[in-house]
Amino acid sequence: MAILKLDKVTKKFGGLVAVNNVSLELEQGQLAGLIGPNGAGKTTIFNVITGVYRPDSGKVYFMGIDITKKKPHEIAALGIARTFQNIKLFHRMSVLDNVRVACHFRLKASVFSAVLDLPKYAREEREMTKESLDLLEAVGLKQLANESAGSLPYGYQRKLEIARALATRPKILLLDEPAAGMNPEETAELMRFIKRIRDEFGLTILLIEHDMKVVMGICEKITVLDHGCVIAEGSPKEIQNNPEVIKAYLGSGVYARS
Amino acid sequence: MSDAQASACAFSSGGVLMNLTLFLQHLANGVALGFVFGLVAIGYTLVYGVVKLVNFAHGDIFMMAAFFVYYGIVLFSFPWFLSFLFAIFLTALLGISIEKVAYKPLRNAPRISSLCSAIGMSFLLENFAIVVFGGRQKPFYQPAVLNKTLNVWGVRIQLVTIITIVVSIGALFFLSYLVYKTKMGLAMRALAYDFDTARLMGINVDRTITFTFAVGSSLAAISAIFWALRYPQIWPFMGVFPGWRAFTAAIIGGIGSIKGAMVGGFLIGMISILLVAFLPDLAGYRDAFIFIMLVFVLLFKPTGLFGET
Amino acid sequence: MYKQPSFWLTLIALVVFFAFISYAQNNFDAYVIRIMNVAAIYVILGVSLNLINGFTGQFSLGHAGFMAIGAYASALLYMSPELKAMNFFIKPLIWPLNRIQIPFFPALLIGGLLAAGAGFLVGAPCMRVKGDYLAIVTYGFSEIIRVLFNNLQSVTNGPLGLKGLPTYTNLWWSWGWAVFTVFFIKRLIDSSYGRALKAIRDNEEAAEAMGVNLFYHKTLAFVVGAFFAGIAGGLLGSLVMTIDPNAFNIMLTFQIVLIVLLGGLGSITGTVISGVLIAVLMEWLRIVETPMKIFGITIPGISGMRMLIFSIILMISVLFFRHGILGDREFSWQGVISFFKRRQSNRGG
Ligand SMILES: Nc1ncnc2c1ncn2[C@@H]1O[C@H](COP(=O)(O)OP(=O)(O)OP(=O)(O)O)[C@@H](O)[C@H]1O
Ligand SMILES: [Mg+2]
């Protein structure tokens, strides 16, 4: 059974159909790519999956549960984590605190035991801190744990966002253009990193990318979106040779006219 | 409760005709008050539309206008109409200066800063008025001509009421001309639609904002004059409740929409008048009702009646 | 469990502080004691508003309303039935309030809890309402409390207010509560819950995507903030001995906002300092409202001048000192220790 399933999802903004009747399935452990030109509706699909937007029609299932109407924080707690295209860190908080926030929803101790620092809370706090530091180590930011998140260089901010997402102990990780603004070497390194965390944490990953070449190397399955519609789906090989995709990518302009 | 019932009873069984005229009388007052709130509400809406700021000081700009009229007459012995014009001009100037001093420097600061600045400005104006004008209520000059009462088919309507309505309609026409037919209006709408893009396209942001504050403040001055003619006691806190009700009107109508501000103003004006007239027991809770209305609108239709998303 | 040196340092500081308080209560003159009481109440108010506005980023203007609830509820509980009967001479107080009298502390607590309940009601819509709108809604709320209290004659005695309240508030009560407020809120914001609040302030969307329940945490901030505002209201009522609905107007909220802004949105230390500073300053500024003789010339006192100066300070701090005294830095023993170490090494080197 698919771990994540979008069933004929449509999302409109006023007259604009940002996502049009999209169906999509992710298998457990898959590293899948979602590509498409600017404004194709990729981010909107993430926002629908994570509950930021309610689709106008269609449903989203996660491990067989209908999550269409759930709130973002409930969906995060179920096991879907994400990063943002335009990085959304907690800028004024430390790197470590950014990650610890994402552990917070698992906290069982009450407000009062937190304020009084009762043993129950103290133990959970220690566990959260340890887990967060481990995650920071995994992404190579441990030595910056006490820096303020807003002061990190761009590439580190991207990694911090991933570490933060991992701290929710997700089953699915949604990455929105993680390589944006990186040079080819950095991108290649990041892709290796993504593959590594997939294996290390047993994740299922859906990756949005602008640049088709980037995802070709690592994704097992690719879905191509254009104007809100799925225009192709398949292995990187199949996608590469699909004329529809080439047309969408080269811009209906240039080739059609000449 | 019992009084309210009694008045409801009188309304249905007693002299139907007399109550109809009474009702029409209240209706006329409600319409006039609706225009007053509507004009103030437009000030909130225009400013919010262009700079995305709730001008907390707007109610106090309204108050200052009434005092400008007062001092125009008392200090400079201007004739009343000249004093009105003088006040409108000064109020526009005041609005512009407030923007220059308190809002412009914070245009790129976090929202919370400009919010605090607006609140601080309101606070400052009120305290300034207390110190300079005094905390006591002052009588507002009532030109004898405007105080006549007309008798239209048995319905007694004050001339002020009619003039309020006529002048407000005139102001509205002038405003729609400004906003929809002039270059400046186009610039305002462009900024309201997309501030950054409009700026990149070479719209003179500062001039447009100055203009917006001038228009909004003049409208506040006009409505303050009508307000003071109706409730002729002026004092430093006189802007608080009208300001608050007008703001509510702007939200209910959909902030950013001129039409919405007018409709919201009417709604609030009617409620204010009719509640006092027909349910006098609950009149004290008037602002509580308006508040609950506001919360409901914000909860269930945050864009208001005519607002865009 | 508490073996860190900072714990012991805090403990010693507290002992010294309360020794000072008890000395002050017995030896200082009434005027100074009064200012110190007001300072403590300002600290409670500032710190609790900072929790909502500074740490959670929800701009609330409802504090005067919460205070009014706390002040009235506690007063109606700790006043004696005879005193109540004397106050409510126009319309009698409703049963059972006209009969009961309970001690000051539980009365304060109940006042705080009722204010917290109101905080919940106000905090709940803040799921939908943000930024300026939230400021308006909370402002409206506090004005509505004022309207209600002016009209509910048989509960609040309407605009006449309550007079002759017994003065229970002393330095022990006021500073005891102030210290507790600082302790509670400091511990709260340093805990995992506090991190969630700060995350909401920094980026609501991201916080929610990381599993932070916005509704729970925003209302948590409102409930806690309103509770302490209610307590402060109760303390204030019993300090000034007279309360009426119009004392809890928006001006009062603005004063608290100024305390928070001056101290730094997001700094408890700064808020404590500015709370005390403002209390002293407000008292000191009374000079401008009383007639003075300078070099034989009598300058008449200008009433309202105090608040005007106050609002000018507010504007200056908003326009030029946007981060307040301390921005979002905090006092810590580590900071003090390392400061002295640095100085020593400087002197050595
Ligand atoms: N909140 C919104 N309100 C209105 N329109 C929106 C909103 N969010 C997205 N859109 C529109 O929906 C369409 C799809 O946007 P989306 O962000 O999903 O594209 P994308 O594929 O992520 O593009 P990009 O590669 O630029 O990130 C765009 O035309 C965008 O303008
Ligand atoms: Mg996108």
Side-chain angles (χ1 to χ4, degrees), chain A residues 193-205:
Chain A
F193 170 74
I194 290 172
K195 213 168 177 136
R196 201 190 84 213
I197 57 170
R198 192 266 308 255
D199 300 336
E200 208 169 295
F201 294 89
L203 294 171
T204 305
I205 293 181

Side-chain angles (χ1 to χ4, degrees), chain A residues 13 16 18 36-45 53 85 176-177 210:
Chain A
F13 295 109
L16 177 88
N38 274 118
K42 306 178 295 288
T43 302
T44 307
I45 287 187
Y53 298 143
Q85 181 171 357
D176 198 343
E177 302 201 17
H210 219 96

